[in-house]
Amino acid sequence: MSQILNADLHCHSVVSDGTLTPEALAERAARNGVELWSLTDHDEVGGQHRAAAAASAHGMKYLTGTEISVTFAGETVHIVGLGFDPDDAAVSEGLHDTRGGRGKRAQEMSDGLARVGIHGAYEGALRFVGNPELVSRTHFARFLVEQGHCKDTSEVFRKFLTEGKPGFVPHRWASLKDAVSWIKGAGGLAVIAHPARYRFTANEEYALFVEFKAHGGEAIEVVTGSHTPAEYEEYADKALEFDFAASRGSDFHSPGESHCDLGQLALLPGRLTPVWELLEHRLR
Ligand code: AMP
Ligand code: MN
Ligand code: MN
Ligand code: MN
């Protein structure tokens, strides 16, 4: 385990807002030299058995994964769960409830876009959805790019889908406490995803780390496709300061959209405890 270097513990399939199947992701990960892999679809575990089987077919070790949407201090925070039982009833129910508001939110997003002259966005986004329970902003972004409103999905988020923009609808997700307790209750480990991406003040980030730890959270992502190399160093120091283990994952969504491919990130800084060292007993 400790000899594993190329772990990629964060990516998305068609079961959430990625464009590849779990099998195609496994093949791509293996081709890129990934030794330990996890599929972490948003608020879903529907792809877990397929991902684990595909990992095994390609000779990779596998950890169960998900990325749970949480509301903390008025901001959406993502908590990655690793190494839990994918068939746990409390996890299924908790994630089902977390997905629950997405349909109505999508209708409201579409209404907001219609007010600025973009019509049919709900139906349009649905054409890009692989899982009807998981309509995401990403699917709207793909529709708006297809319709020529923007050149890429980043531009759609900037102009239409972030706070204050016409397609943004505030939403209340799971609580931090619940998300961590679902993962831990099913034998897994909770990780704060891409901590540098939240628009928190230093005090708010401190509160997030302290509360997360108090609920039993054990790790943060340090090397992720959503961090810059300077942020790897900044959050490596914070992992040590708060005594968190460190995770590594590309957050790969799609060959055409993601700038960081599976398994092609920098290695974790050597001074950190890799999260997989704490999950040896949960490998599949
Ligand atoms: P949702 O869960 O529906 O709010 O959608 C969140 C997803 O949108 C994230 O997981 C990313 O895949 C995507 N996303 C968020 N911000 C951006 C951005 N600035 N550019 C591209 N994709 C983004
Ligand atoms: Mn996503
Ligand atoms: Mn995320
Ligand atoms: Mn993600």
Side-chain angles (χ1 to χ4, degrees):
M1 270 308 263
S2 47
Q3 67 274 25
I4 287 179
L5 293 174
N6 200 350
D8 192 323
L9 304 179
H10 189 149
C11 69
H12 301 275
S13 77
V14 290
V15 175
S16 66
D17 61 347
T19 61
L20 301 184
T21 60
E23 290 78 10
L25 286 167
E27 189 189 335
R28 193 176 183 100
R31 204 186 326 131
N32 289 352
V34 171
E35 300 157 276
L36 169 64
W37 179 51
S38 180
L39 170 66
T40 56
D41 278 313
H42 295 284
D43 308 323
E44 258 289 10
V45 287
Q48 290 306 307
H49 289 296
R50 287 170 61 187
S56 156
H58 289 284
M60 293 183 291
K61 296 192 166 78
Y62 189 76
L63 285 166
T64 306
T66 187
E67 182 179 18
I68 307 180
S69 311
V70 156
T71 301
F72 181 85
E75 177 86 15
T76 299
V77 166
H78 286 167
I79 300 296
V80 164
L82 294 174
F84 56 91
D85 171 6
D87 300 317
D88 182 83
V91 168
S92 300
E93 200 178 314
L95 295 185
H96 180 263
D97 290 349
T98 305
R99 291 193 298 274
R102 281 187 179 267
K104 179 162 172 280
R105 171 189 187 238
Q107 293 276 5
E108 290 169 10
M109 286 171 61
S110 183
D111 294 345
L113 291 168
R115 284 193 281 277
V116 294
I118 297 172
H119 298 283
Y122 179 76
E123 294 74 15
L126 280 189
R127 286 197 285 105
F128 290 85
V129 163
N131 171 0
E133 281 189 43
L134 212 123
V135 196
S136 140
R137 283 186 291 162
T138 314
H139 302 114
F140 280 85
R142 291 182 185 136
F143 171 68
L144 265 66
V145 170
E146 181 204 60
Q147 296 295 301
H149 295 288
C150 293
K151 68 175 192 320
D152 58 28
T153 55
S154 300
E155 186 185 346
V156 182
F157 274 86
R158 208 161 55 242
K159 293 188 174 162
F160 294 102
L161 299 179
T162 41
E163 195 161 353
K165 299 298 157 58
F168 183 80
V169 173
H171 192 74
R172 182 160 268 291
W173 303 102
S175 73
L176 181 66
K177 181 169 188 263
D178 285 350
V180 175
S181 78
W182 298 332
I183 297 162
K184 286 190 66 77
L189 185 147
V191 186
I192 299 176
H194 41 66
R197 291 284 62 81
Y198 310 119
R199 292 168 312 163
F200 284 144
T201 62
N203 281 344
E204 287 167 337
E205 184 187 78
Y206 182 85
L208 171 66
F209 286 6
V210 167
E211 285 191 35
F212 176 68
K213 203 176 180 68
H215 295 313
E218 289 171 87
I220 62 173
E221 285 184 345
V222 170
V223 175
T224 139
S226 313
H227 282 178
T228 63
E231 287 164 344
Y232 301 165
E233 293 306 316
E234 185 185 344
Y235 284 86
D237 289 342
K238 287 179 182 176
L240 291 174
E241 180 188 342
F242 287 85
D243 195 25
F244 284 134
S247 193
R248 175 181 189 264
S250 56
D251 208 354
F252 181 81
H253 282 70
S254 173
E257 294 166 9
S258 298
H259 59 93
C260 177
D261 208 334
L262 286 154
Q264 298 194 332
L265 297 148
L267 298 180
L268 276 184
R271 61 191 189 277
L272 304 180
T273 302
V275 73
W276 49 94
E277 283 189 8
L278 307 181
L279 285 164
E280 207 140 355
H281 60 295
R282 303 295 314 184
L283 286 183
R284 298 173 67 188

